[in-house]
Amino acid sequence: MTKTDAGAEWRTYSGSGLPPILETALACFMEHGYHGTTIRTVAARAELSVPGLYYHYASKQALLVAIVSYAMDDLWARSTAALEEAGNDVQRKLELLVECLVLFHAHRRGLAFIAYSEIRSLTGEARTTYIAARDRQQRLMDHVIEEGVAQGVFATAYPREVSRAIVTMCTGVSQWYHAEGEHTPQELAKRYCDMTRMTVGALSPSRS
C-alpha cells in the first residue's frame, strides 16, 4: 500500500498485499519456519525452477528481507494515515493508532507474525534496518502518549512503559487471532481501544 492509498484506505485490507513469490515464501515460513524452509521448497510451491526463483530473489535471506520490509512499510503507511485522520485531538490519535495496530495484526496476521518472530534470522544491515523501522513505529505511540500526558488528558505516571505495553498488547494479536474466532478485527479493535483508554488513565471516549 502506498502512502496515498493509505490516506483513504488504512482500514481496508485485500489479500496479503504481497507479490506471488513472496506470498508463497511467507506461507512456507509460516508452516516450516525460516530455517526449516529451503529455496527448493519455495520454488516448487511457486511453480518455478530454483534458478527461476534466484532470478527474482538472490537468496532465502532476500525473501525474508523483502517480506519484513513490506510488513514494516505497510504498517507505517497505515499508521501515519490514521494519525493524520485523527488531526490534533490527542485522544483520537491514540484510539486510531490502536485501531490501526489491531487491524493490521489481525488482517495481516501471518505477515506480522513472521516479521516479529524471524527477526532472529535477519543478518547484518537487514537486521539493523528492521530494528530501526520497529523503533520508529514504537515512537509514534511514545509521542502520542507523551503528548496526552503533557496536556493533562492522560493520567498515567509511566508514559514510556505504558506505551510499550500498549504496542505489545496490539502486536500480540498476530500470535493468536483467527478469522473464524469470536470477534471481527473491528470489534477487537474497539475492545482494545477501551482497554487502552483505561491504561493511560483516560476513562471516557474521545469526542469524534
Side-chain angles (χ1 to χ4, degrees):
M1 171 174 285
T2 66
K3 186 175 177 61
T4 301
D5 293 337
E9 302 179 356
W10 63 267
R11 295 180 179 89
T12 302
Y13 289 85
S14 177
S16 71
L18 291 169
I21 294 175
L22 293 184
E23 189 168 7
T24 300
L26 175 62
C28 292
F29 293 160
M30 286 292 291
E31 290 178 23
H32 308 294
Y34 175 77
H35 291 293
T37 298
T38 66
I39 282 288
R40 189 171 298 279
T41 299
V42 177
R45 188 175 294 193
E47 299 182 344
L48 293 169
S49 65
V50 171
L53 180 57
Y54 280 136
Y55 176 80
H56 297 281
Y57 295 94
S59 64
K60 186 171 69 168
Q61 179 76 186
L63 290 168
L64 180 62
V65 169
I67 289 168
V68 167
S69 296
Y70 177 86
M72 298 308 295
D73 290 347
D74 189 27
L75 179 57
W76 177 259
R78 292 175 186 276
S79 298
T80 53
L83 290 173
E84 184 175 348
E85 180 182 319
N88 294 322
D89 184 332
V90 69
Q91 191 160 326
R92 186 67 173 156
K93 288 181 184 179
L94 178 63
E95 291 170 359
L96 293 194
L97 186 53
V98 168
E99 179 184 354
C100 179
L101 288 171
V102 172
L103 292 181
F104 180 86
H105 287 84
H107 285 291
R108 296 272 195 262
R109 188 179 70 85
L111 188 64
F113 179 79
I114 289 300
Y116 169 79
S117 64
E118 292 295 352
I119 182 176
R120 62 196 174 193
S121 301
L122 292 170
T123 61
E125 185 178 345
R127 181 182 175 88
T128 301
T129 300
Y130 171 82
I131 290 173
R134 182 195 62 187
D135 292 347
R136 181 180 69 161
Q137 181 70 40
Q138 175 65 50
R139 283 195 294 272
L140 290 180
M141 185 66 75
D142 292 345
H143 292 161
V144 168
I145 294 180
E146 288 166 1
E147 181 183 355
V149 169
Q151 292 181 12
V153 177
F154 304 152
T156 178
Y158 311 106
R160 184 58 59 87
E161 290 83 358
V162 162
S163 176
R164 294 196 178 280
I166 291 169
V167 169
T168 299
M169 176 177 71
C170 294
T171 58
V173 168
S174 67
Q175 299 180 46
W176 60 265
Y177 182 78
H178 292 283
E180 64 274 14
E182 182 180 0
H183 301 292
T184 67
Q186 197 63 52
E187 289 168 345
L188 190 64
K190 183 179 184 306
R191 289 183 173 224
Y192 273 53
C193 285
D194 290 343
M195 291 188 289
T196 296
R197 282 193 294 270
M198 291 185 283
T199 303
V200 299
L203 297 179
S204 59
S206 65
R207 289 172 291 183
S208 58

PDB file of all heavy atoms in Angstrom, residues 42-77:
ATOM      1  N   VAL A  42      10.281 -23.423  -1.656  1.00  0.00           N
ATOM      2  CA  VAL A  42       9.588 -22.217  -2.119  1.00  0.00           C
ATOM      3  C   VAL A  42       9.424 -22.256  -3.630  1.00  0.00           C
ATOM      4  O   VAL A  42       8.337 -21.961  -4.163  1.00  0.00           O
ATOM      5  CB  VAL A  42      10.351 -20.947  -1.688  1.00  0.00           C
ATOM      6  CG1 VAL A  42       9.649 -19.696  -2.233  1.00  0.00           C
ATOM      7  CG2 VAL A  42      10.473 -20.866  -0.168  1.00  0.00           C
ATOM      8  N   ALA A  43      10.478 -22.616  -4.339  1.00  0.00           N
ATOM      9  CA  ALA A  43      10.424 -22.654  -5.800  1.00  0.00           C
ATOM     10  C   ALA A  43       9.369 -23.639  -6.290  1.00  0.00           C
ATOM     11  O   ALA A  43       8.582 -23.320  -7.193  1.00  0.00           O
ATOM     12  CB  ALA A  43      11.796 -23.025  -6.366  1.00  0.00           C
ATOM     13  N   ALA A  44       9.328 -24.827  -5.678  1.00  0.00           N
ATOM     14  CA  ALA A  44       8.360 -25.837  -6.107  1.00  0.00           C
ATOM     15  C   ALA A  44       6.933 -25.354  -5.899  1.00  0.00           C
ATOM     16  O   ALA A  44       6.075 -25.501  -6.775  1.00  0.00           O
ATOM     17  CB  ALA A  44       8.604 -27.137  -5.351  1.00  0.00           C
ATOM     18  N   ARG A  45       6.672 -24.737  -4.739  1.00  0.00           N
ATOM     19  CA  ARG A  45       5.314 -24.277  -4.466  1.00  0.00           C
ATOM     20  C   ARG A  45       4.944 -23.098  -5.356  1.00  0.00           C
ATOM     21  O   ARG A  45       3.771 -22.915  -5.697  1.00  0.00           O
ATOM     22  CB  ARG A  45       5.165 -23.900  -2.994  1.00  0.00           C
ATOM     23  CG  ARG A  45       3.717 -23.594  -2.637  1.00  0.00           C
ATOM     24  CD  ARG A  45       3.504 -23.329  -1.169  1.00  0.00           C
ATOM     25  NE  ARG A  45       3.748 -24.496  -0.345  1.00  0.00           N
ATOM     26  CZ  ARG A  45       3.392 -24.573   0.937  1.00  0.00           C
ATOM     27  NH1 ARG A  45       2.775 -23.560   1.529  1.00  0.00           N
ATOM     28  NH2 ARG A  45       3.661 -25.661   1.634  1.00  0.00           N
ATOM     29  N   ALA A  46       5.938 -22.290  -5.722  1.00  0.00           N
ATOM     30  CA  ALA A  46       5.682 -21.151  -6.606  1.00  0.00           C
ATOM     31  C   ALA A  46       5.671 -21.562  -8.078  1.00  0.00           C
ATOM     32  O   ALA A  46       5.490 -20.717  -8.960  1.00  0.00           O
ATOM     33  CB  ALA A  46       6.738 -20.072  -6.384  1.00  0.00           C
ATOM     34  N   GLU A  47       5.880 -22.866  -8.341  1.00  0.00           N
ATOM     35  CA  GLU A  47       5.914 -23.408  -9.695  1.00  0.00           C
ATOM     36  C   GLU A  47       7.016 -22.748 -10.529  1.00  0.00           C
ATOM     37  O   GLU A  47       6.826 -22.363 -11.679  1.00  0.00           O
ATOM     38  CB  GLU A  47       4.547 -23.269 -10.369  1.00  0.00           C
ATOM     39  CG  GLU A  47       3.452 -24.031  -9.622  1.00  0.00           C
ATOM     40  CD  GLU A  47       2.098 -23.949 -10.314  1.00  0.00           C
ATOM     41  OE1 GLU A  47       1.923 -23.083 -11.191  1.00  0.00           O
ATOM     42  OE2 GLU A  47       1.231 -24.770  -9.969  1.00  0.00           O
ATOM     43  N   LEU A  48       8.174 -22.636  -9.885  1.00  0.00           N
ATOM     44  CA  LEU A  48       9.359 -22.103 -10.540  1.00  0.00           C
ATOM     45  C   LEU A  48      10.500 -23.099 -10.386  1.00  0.00           C
ATOM     46  O   LEU A  48      10.501 -23.912  -9.467  1.00  0.00           O
ATOM     47  CB  LEU A  48       9.786 -20.775  -9.909  1.00  0.00           C
ATOM     48  CG  LEU A  48       8.866 -19.568 -10.077  1.00  0.00           C
ATOM     49  CD1 LEU A  48       9.332 -18.442  -9.153  1.00  0.00           C
ATOM     50  CD2 LEU A  48       8.845 -19.095 -11.523  1.00  0.00           C
ATOM     51  N   SER A  49      11.492 -22.999 -11.269  1.00  0.00           N
ATOM     52  CA  SER A  49      12.737 -23.723 -11.038  1.00  0.00           C
ATOM     53  C   SER A  49      13.531 -22.959  -9.988  1.00  0.00           C
ATOM     54  O   SER A  49      13.269 -21.783  -9.725  1.00  0.00           O
ATOM     55  CB  SER A  49      13.541 -23.817 -12.340  1.00  0.00           C
ATOM     56  OG  SER A  49      13.953 -22.516 -12.749  1.00  0.00           O
ATOM     57  N   VAL A  50      14.510 -23.630  -9.393  1.00  0.00           N
ATOM     58  CA  VAL A  50      15.363 -22.922  -8.427  1.00  0.00           C
ATOM     59  C   VAL A  50      16.078 -21.747  -9.101  1.00  0.00           C
ATOM     60  O   VAL A  50      16.085 -20.630  -8.558  1.00  0.00           O
ATOM     61  CB  VAL A  50      16.357 -23.898  -7.765  1.00  0.00           C
ATOM     62  CG1 VAL A  50      17.384 -23.127  -6.942  1.00  0.00           C
ATOM     63  CG2 VAL A  50      15.598 -24.892  -6.877  1.00  0.00           C
ATOM     64  N   PRO A  51      16.694 -21.932 -10.293  1.00  0.00           N
ATOM     65  CA  PRO A  51      17.292 -20.764 -10.967  1.00  0.00           C
ATOM     66  C   PRO A  51      16.262 -19.673 -11.262  1.00  0.00           C
ATOM     67  O   PRO A  51      16.588 -18.485 -11.210  1.00  0.00           O
ATOM     68  CB  PRO A  51      17.862 -21.355 -12.251  1.00  0.00           C
ATOM     69  CG  PRO A  51      18.113 -22.801 -11.930  1.00  0.00           C
ATOM     70  CD  PRO A  51      16.994 -23.188 -11.028  1.00  0.00           C
ATOM     71  N   GLY A  52      15.029 -20.091 -11.572  1.00  0.00           N
ATOM     72  CA  GLY A  52      13.986 -19.106 -11.839  1.00  0.00           C
ATOM     73  C   GLY A  52      13.676 -18.260 -10.611  1.00  0.00           C
ATOM     74  O   GLY A  52      13.457 -17.048 -10.714  1.00  0.00           O
ATOM     75  N   LEU A  53      13.672 -18.894  -9.444  1.00  0.00           N
ATOM     76  CA  LEU A  53      13.446 -18.155  -8.202  1.00  0.00           C
ATOM     77  C   LEU A  53      14.619 -17.219  -7.913  1.00  0.00           C
ATOM     78  O   LEU A  53      14.431 -16.059  -7.535  1.00  0.00           O
ATOM     79  CB  LEU A  53      13.246 -19.129  -7.046  1.00  0.00           C
ATOM     80  CG  LEU A  53      12.991 -18.495  -5.671  1.00  0.00           C
ATOM     81  CD1 LEU A  53      11.787 -17.568  -5.695  1.00  0.00           C
ATOM     82  CD2 LEU A  53      12.800 -19.574  -4.620  1.00  0.00           C
ATOM     83  N   TYR A  54      15.831 -17.728  -8.128  1.00  0.00           N
ATOM     84  CA  TYR A  54      17.021 -16.903  -7.892  1.00  0.00           C
ATOM     85  C   TYR A  54      17.080 -15.697  -8.832  1.00  0.00           C
ATOM     86  O   TYR A  54      17.726 -14.693  -8.516  1.00  0.00           O
ATOM     87  CB  TYR A  54      18.287 -17.739  -8.051  1.00  0.00           C
ATOM     88  CG  TYR A  54      18.630 -18.579  -6.847  1.00  0.00           C
ATOM     89  CD1 TYR A  54      19.034 -19.909  -6.988  1.00  0.00           C
ATOM     90  CD2 TYR A  54      18.573 -18.045  -5.559  1.00  0.00           C
ATOM     91  CE1 TYR A  54      19.362 -20.682  -5.884  1.00  0.00           C
ATOM     92  CE2 TYR A  54      18.895 -18.801  -4.451  1.00  0.00           C
ATOM     93  CZ  TYR A  54      19.287 -20.123  -4.621  1.00  0.00           C
ATOM     94  OH  TYR A  54      19.610 -20.871  -3.517  1.00  0.00           O
ATOM     95  N   TYR A  55      16.418 -15.795  -9.982  1.00  0.00           N
ATOM     96  CA  TYR A  55      16.366 -14.644 -10.886  1.00  0.00           C
ATOM     97  C   TYR A  55      15.665 -13.464 -10.220  1.00  0.00           C
ATOM     98  O   TYR A  55      16.024 -12.295 -10.445  1.00  0.00           O
ATOM     99  CB  TYR A  55      15.635 -15.029 -12.177  1.00  0.00           C
ATOM    100  CG  TYR A  55      15.435 -13.885 -13.135  1.00  0.00           C
ATOM    101  CD1 TYR A  55      16.462 -13.464 -13.975  1.00  0.00           C
ATOM    102  CD2 TYR A  55      14.216 -13.202 -13.188  1.00  0.00           C
ATOM    103  CE1 TYR A  55      16.295 -12.395 -14.844  1.00  0.00           C
ATOM    104  CE2 TYR A  55      14.031 -12.132 -14.057  1.00  0.00           C
ATOM    105  CZ  TYR A  55      15.066 -11.732 -14.876  1.00  0.00           C
ATOM    106  OH  TYR A  55      14.892 -10.680 -15.726  1.00  0.00           O
ATOM    107  N   HIS A  56      14.661 -13.763  -9.396  1.00  0.00           N
ATOM    108  CA  HIS A  56      13.889 -12.711  -8.727  1.00  0.00           C
ATOM    109  C   HIS A  56      14.468 -12.337  -7.363  1.00  0.00           C
ATOM    110  O   HIS A  56      14.454 -11.159  -6.974  1.00  0.00           O
ATOM    111  CB  HIS A  56      12.437 -13.166  -8.557  1.00  0.00           C
ATOM    112  CG  HIS A  56      11.719 -13.402  -9.851  1.00  0.00           C
ATOM    113  ND1 HIS A  56      11.210 -12.374 -10.621  1.00  0.00           N
ATOM    114  CD2 HIS A  56      11.431 -14.553 -10.509  1.00  0.00           C
ATOM    115  CE1 HIS A  56      10.637 -12.862 -11.697  1.00  0.00           C
ATOM    116  NE2 HIS A  56      10.746 -14.195 -11.661  1.00  0.00           N
ATOM    117  N   TYR A  57      14.929 -13.335  -6.619  1.00  0.00           N
ATOM    118  CA  TYR A  57      15.463 -13.105  -5.270  1.00  0.00           C
ATOM    119  C   TYR A  57      16.755 -13.896  -5.120  1.00  0.00           C
ATOM    120  O   TYR A  57      16.774 -15.108  -5.340  1.00  0.00           O
ATOM    121  CB  TYR A  57      14.448 -13.514  -4.203  1.00  0.00           C
ATOM    122  CG  TYR A  57      13.202 -12.654  -4.241  1.00  0.00           C
ATOM    123  CD1 TYR A  57      12.082 -13.066  -4.965  1.00  0.00           C
ATOM    124  CD2 TYR A  57      13.163 -11.425  -3.590  1.00  0.00           C
ATOM    125  CE1 TYR A  57      10.945 -12.265  -5.036  1.00  0.00           C
ATOM    126  CE2 TYR A  57      12.031 -10.619  -3.656  1.00  0.00           C
ATOM    127  CZ  TYR A  57      10.932 -11.045  -4.383  1.00  0.00           C
ATOM    128  OH  TYR A  57       9.816 -10.250  -4.448  1.00  0.00           O
ATOM    129  N   ALA A  58      17.813 -13.227  -4.716  1.00  0.00           N
ATOM    130  CA  ALA A  58      19.149 -13.817  -4.750  1.00  0.00           C
ATOM    131  C   ALA A  58      19.365 -14.902  -3.710  1.00  0.00           C
ATOM    132  O   ALA A  58      20.292 -15.704  -3.836  1.00  0.00           O
ATOM    133  CB  ALA A  58      20.199 -12.720  -4.568  1.00  0.00           C
ATOM    134  N   SER A  59      18.522 -14.953  -2.684  1.00  0.00           N
ATOM    135  CA  SER A  59      18.737 -15.911  -1.602  1.00  0.00           C
ATOM    136  C   SER A  59      17.476 -16.031  -0.766  1.00  0.00           C
ATOM    137  O   SER A  59      16.535 -15.235  -0.899  1.00  0.00           O
ATOM    138  CB  SER A  59      19.896 -15.448  -0.700  1.00  0.00           C
ATOM    139  OG  SER A  59      19.546 -14.225  -0.065  1.00  0.00           O
ATOM    140  N   LYS A  60      17.467 -17.006   0.134  1.00  0.00           N
ATOM    141  CA  LYS A  60      16.359 -17.136   1.079  1.00  0.00           C
ATOM    142  C   LYS A  60      16.310 -15.913   1.993  1.00  0.00           C
ATOM    143  O   LYS A  60      15.236 -15.429   2.343  1.00  0.00           O
ATOM    144  CB  LYS A  60      16.509 -18.421   1.895  1.00  0.00           C
ATOM    145  CG  LYS A  60      15.321 -18.698   2.807  1.00  0.00           C
ATOM    146  CD  LYS A  60      15.378 -20.078   3.431  1.00  0.00           C
ATOM    147  CE  LYS A  60      16.507 -20.207   4.438  1.00  0.00           C
ATOM    148  NZ  LYS A  60      16.395 -21.442   5.248  1.00  0.00           N
ATOM    149  N   GLN A  61      17.491 -15.403   2.360  1.00  0.00           N
ATOM    150  CA  GLN A  61      17.547 -14.197   3.177  1.00  0.00           C
ATOM    151  C   GLN A  61      16.882 -13.016   2.461  1.00  0.00           C
ATOM    152  O   GLN A  61      16.159 -12.227   3.074  1.00  0.00           O
ATOM    153  CB  GLN A  61      18.996 -13.850   3.523  1.00  0.00           C
ATOM    154  CG  GLN A  61      19.178 -12.589   4.347  1.00  0.00           C
ATOM    155  CD  GLN A  61      18.820 -12.719   5.817  1.00  0.00           C
ATOM    156  OE1 GLN A  61      18.822 -11.737   6.550  1.00  0.00           O
ATOM    157  NE2 GLN A  61      18.515 -13.949   6.266  1.00  0.00           N
ATOM    158  N   ALA A  62      17.084 -12.927   1.155  1.00  0.00           N
ATOM    159  CA  ALA A  62      16.467 -11.846   0.377  1.00  0.00           C
ATOM    160  C   ALA A  62      14.947 -11.945   0.404  1.00  0.00           C
ATOM    161  O   ALA A  62      14.247 -10.921   0.431  1.00  0.00           O
ATOM    162  CB  ALA A  62      16.976 -11.874  -1.063  1.00  0.00           C
ATOM    163  N   LEU A  63      14.425 -13.165   0.381  1.00  0.00           N
ATOM    164  CA  LEU A  63      12.973 -13.349   0.502  1.00  0.00           C
ATOM    165  C   LEU A  63      12.477 -12.833   1.841  1.00  0.00           C
ATOM    166  O   LEU A  63      11.472 -12.109   1.914  1.00  0.00           O
ATOM    167  CB  LEU A  63      12.620 -14.831   0.359  1.00  0.00           C
ATOM    168  CG  LEU A  63      12.770 -15.465  -1.019  1.00  0.00           C
ATOM    169  CD1 LEU A  63      12.662 -16.984  -0.914  1.00  0.00           C
ATOM    170  CD2 LEU A  63      11.715 -14.931  -1.982  1.00  0.00           C
ATOM    171  N   LEU A  64      13.166 -13.200   2.917  1.00  0.00           N
ATOM    172  CA  LEU A  64      12.757 -12.763   4.250  1.00  0.00           C
ATOM    173  C   LEU A  64      12.844 -11.246   4.381  1.00  0.00           C
ATOM    174  O   LEU A  64      11.924 -10.608   4.921  1.00  0.00           O
ATOM    175  CB  LEU A  64      13.622 -13.432   5.315  1.00  0.00           C
ATOM    176  CG  LEU A  64      13.307 -13.053   6.776  1.00  0.00           C
ATOM    177  CD1 LEU A  64      11.892 -13.458   7.146  1.00  0.00           C
ATOM    178  CD2 LEU A  64      14.323 -13.713   7.716  1.00  0.00           C
ATOM    179  N   VAL A  65      13.927 -10.670   3.886  1.00  0.00           N
ATOM    180  CA  VAL A  65      14.098  -9.217   3.966  1.00  0.00           C
ATOM    181  C   VAL A  65      12.966  -8.510   3.226  1.00  0.00           C
ATOM    182  O   VAL A  65      12.411  -7.511   3.717  1.00  0.00           O
ATOM    183  CB  VAL A  65      15.467  -8.799   3.402  1.00  0.00           C
ATOM    184  CG1 VAL A  65      15.551  -7.284   3.240  1.00  0.00           C
ATOM    185  CG2 VAL A  65      16.586  -9.296   4.313  1.00  0.00           C
ATOM    186  N   ALA A  66      12.598  -9.002   2.059  1.00  0.00           N
ATOM    187  CA  ALA A  66      11.522  -8.376   1.280  1.00  0.00           C
ATOM    188  C   ALA A  66      10.191  -8.477   2.011  1.00  0.00           C
ATOM    189  O   ALA A  66       9.400  -7.517   2.021  1.00  0.00           O
ATOM    190  CB  ALA A  66      11.424  -9.037  -0.095  1.00  0.00           C
ATOM    191  N   ILE A  67       9.923  -9.612   2.647  1.00  0.00           N
ATOM    192  CA  ILE A  67       8.672  -9.791   3.394  1.00  0.00           C
ATOM    193  C   ILE A  67       8.617  -8.849   4.594  1.00  0.00           C
ATOM    194  O   ILE A  67       7.622  -8.150   4.828  1.00  0.00           O
ATOM    195  CB  ILE A  67       8.532 -11.260   3.849  1.00  0.00           C
ATOM    196  CG1 ILE A  67       8.236 -12.157   2.653  1.00  0.00           C
ATOM    197  CG2 ILE A  67       7.438 -11.411   4.914  1.00  0.00           C
ATOM    198  CD1 ILE A  67       8.355 -13.639   2.947  1.00  0.00           C
ATOM    199  N   VAL A  68       9.692  -8.809   5.352  1.00  0.00           N
ATOM    200  CA  VAL A  68       9.744  -7.968   6.548  1.00  0.00           C
ATOM    201  C   VAL A  68       9.675  -6.490   6.167  1.00  0.00           C
ATOM    202  O   VAL A  68       8.981  -5.699   6.828  1.00  0.00           O
ATOM    203  CB  VAL A  68      11.019  -8.280   7.355  1.00  0.00           C
ATOM    204  CG1 VAL A  68      11.263  -7.234   8.419  1.00  0.00           C
ATOM    205  CG2 VAL A  68      10.915  -9.663   7.981  1.00  0.00           C
ATOM    206  N   SER A  69      10.362  -6.114   5.105  1.00  0.00           N
ATOM    207  CA  SER A  69      10.341  -4.717   4.658  1.00  0.00           C
ATOM    208  C   SER A  69       8.932  -4.308   4.242  1.00  0.00           C
ATOM    209  O   SER A  69       8.474  -3.204   4.562  1.00  0.00           O
ATOM    210  CB  SER A  69      11.312  -4.517   3.495  1.00  0.00           C
ATOM    211  OG  SER A  69      12.639  -4.761   3.901  1.00  0.00           O
ATOM    212  N   TYR A  70       8.253  -5.193   3.531  1.00  0.00           N
ATOM    213  CA  TYR A  70       6.882  -4.893   3.130  1.00  0.00           C
ATOM    214  C   TYR A  70       5.995  -4.713   4.358  1.00  0.00           C
ATOM    215  O   TYR A  70       5.189  -3.774   4.423  1.00  0.00           O
ATOM    216  CB  TYR A  70       6.313  -6.008   2.243  1.00  0.00           C
ATOM    217  CG  TYR A  70       4.872  -5.742   1.879  1.00  0.00           C
ATOM    218  CD1 TYR A  70       4.551  -4.949   0.783  1.00  0.00           C
ATOM    219  CD2 TYR A  70       3.834  -6.244   2.657  1.00  0.00           C
ATOM    220  CE1 TYR A  70       3.224  -4.667   0.474  1.00  0.00           C
ATOM    221  CE2 TYR A  70       2.516  -5.965   2.352  1.00  0.00           C
ATOM    222  CZ  TYR A  70       2.216  -5.184   1.265  1.00  0.00           C
ATOM    223  OH  TYR A  70       0.908  -4.891   0.969  1.00  0.00           O
ATOM    224  N   ALA A  71       6.138  -5.581   5.332  1.00  0.00           N
ATOM    225  CA  ALA A  71       5.319  -5.501   6.542  1.00  0.00           C
ATOM    226  C   ALA A  71       5.510  -4.166   7.250  1.00  0.00           C
ATOM    227  O   ALA A  71       4.536  -3.495   7.615  1.00  0.00           O
ATOM    228  CB  ALA A  71       5.656  -6.655   7.488  1.00  0.00           C
ATOM    229  N   MET A  72       6.761  -3.777   7.449  1.00  0.00           N
ATOM    230  CA  MET A  72       7.025  -2.539   8.178  1.00  0.00           C
ATOM    231  C   MET A  72       6.594  -1.309   7.388  1.00  0.00           C
ATOM    232  O   MET A  72       6.073  -0.344   7.962  1.00  0.00           O
ATOM    233  CB  MET A  72       8.504  -2.460   8.543  1.00  0.00           C
ATOM    234  CG  MET A  72       8.981  -3.578   9.461  1.00  0.00           C
ATOM    235  SD  MET A  72       7.966  -3.780  10.957  1.00  0.00           S
ATOM    236  CE  MET A  72       8.277  -2.219  11.800  1.00  0.00           C
ATOM    237  N   ASP A  73       6.788  -1.326   6.076  1.00  0.00           N
ATOM    238  CA  ASP A  73       6.369  -0.196   5.246  1.00  0.00           C
ATOM    239  C   ASP A  73       4.856  -0.054   5.224  1.00  0.00           C
ATOM    240  O   ASP A  73       4.315   1.065   5.299  1.00  0.00           O
ATOM    241  CB  ASP A  73       6.892  -0.355   3.813  1.00  0.00           C
ATOM    242  CG  ASP A  73       8.396  -0.174   3.703  1.00  0.00           C
ATOM    243  OD1 ASP A  73       9.011   0.323   4.675  1.00  0.00           O
ATOM    244  OD2 ASP A  73       8.963  -0.544   2.652  1.00  0.00           O
ATOM    245  N   ASP A  74       4.164  -1.175   5.124  1.00  0.00           N
ATOM    246  CA  ASP A  74       2.697  -1.162   5.095  1.00  0.00           C
ATOM    247  C   ASP A  74       2.147  -0.652   6.422  1.00  0.00           C
ATOM    248  O   ASP A  74       1.257   0.213   6.459  1.00  0.00           O
ATOM    249  CB  ASP A  74       2.181  -2.578   4.798  1.00  0.00           C
ATOM    250  CG  ASP A  74       0.679  -2.613   4.528  1.00  0.00           C
ATOM    251  OD1 ASP A  74       0.126  -1.602   4.064  1.00  0.00           O
ATOM    252  OD2 ASP A  74       0.068  -3.661   4.791  1.00  0.00           O
ATOM    253  N   LEU A  75       2.675  -1.152   7.518  1.00  0.00           N
ATOM    254  CA  LEU A  75       2.210  -0.709   8.835  1.00  0.00           C
ATOM    255  C   LEU A  75       2.489   0.774   9.043  1.00  0.00           C
ATOM    256  O   LEU A  75       1.651   1.505   9.580  1.00  0.00           O
ATOM    257  CB  LEU A  75       2.882  -1.534   9.936  1.00  0.00           C
ATOM    258  CG  LEU A  75       2.508  -1.157  11.378  1.00  0.00           C
ATOM    259  CD1 LEU A  75       1.004  -1.249  11.604  1.00  0.00           C
ATOM    260  CD2 LEU A  75       3.265  -2.044  12.361  1.00  0.00           C
ATOM    261  N   TRP A  76       3.649   1.232   8.620  1.00  0.00           N
ATOM    262  CA  TRP A  76       3.994   2.648   8.777  1.00  0.00           C
ATOM    263  C   TRP A  76       3.037   3.536   7.982  1.00  0.00           C
ATOM    264  O   TRP A  76       2.539   4.555   8.486  1.00  0.00           O
ATOM    265  CB  TRP A  76       5.436   2.892   8.331  1.00  0.00           C
ATOM    266  CG  TRP A  76       5.838   4.330   8.402  1.00  0.00           C
ATOM    267  CD1 TRP A  76       5.921   5.224   7.373  1.00  0.00           C
ATOM    268  CD2 TRP A  76       6.220   5.058   9.581  1.00  0.00           C
ATOM    269  NE1 TRP A  76       6.325   6.448   7.828  1.00  0.00           N
ATOM    270  CE2 TRP A  76       6.515   6.385   9.176  1.00  0.00           C
ATOM    271  CE3 TRP A  76       6.336   4.708  10.927  1.00  0.00           C
ATOM    272  CZ2 TRP A  76       6.924   7.365  10.078  1.00  0.00           C
ATOM    273  CZ3 TRP A  76       6.752   5.689  11.830  1.00  0.00           C
ATOM    274  CH2 TRP A  76       7.030   7.001  11.404  1.00  0.00           C
ATOM    275  N   ALA A  77       2.778   3.176   6.734  1.00  0.00           N
ATOM    276  CA  ALA A  77       1.880   3.975   5.899  1.00  0.00           C
ATOM    277  C   ALA A  77       0.487   4.046   6.503  1.00  0.00           C
ATOM    278  O   ALA A  77      -0.143   5.109   6.534  1.00  0.00           O
ATOM    279  CB  ALA A  77       1.816   3.391   4.484  1.00  0.00           C
TER     280      ALA A  77
END
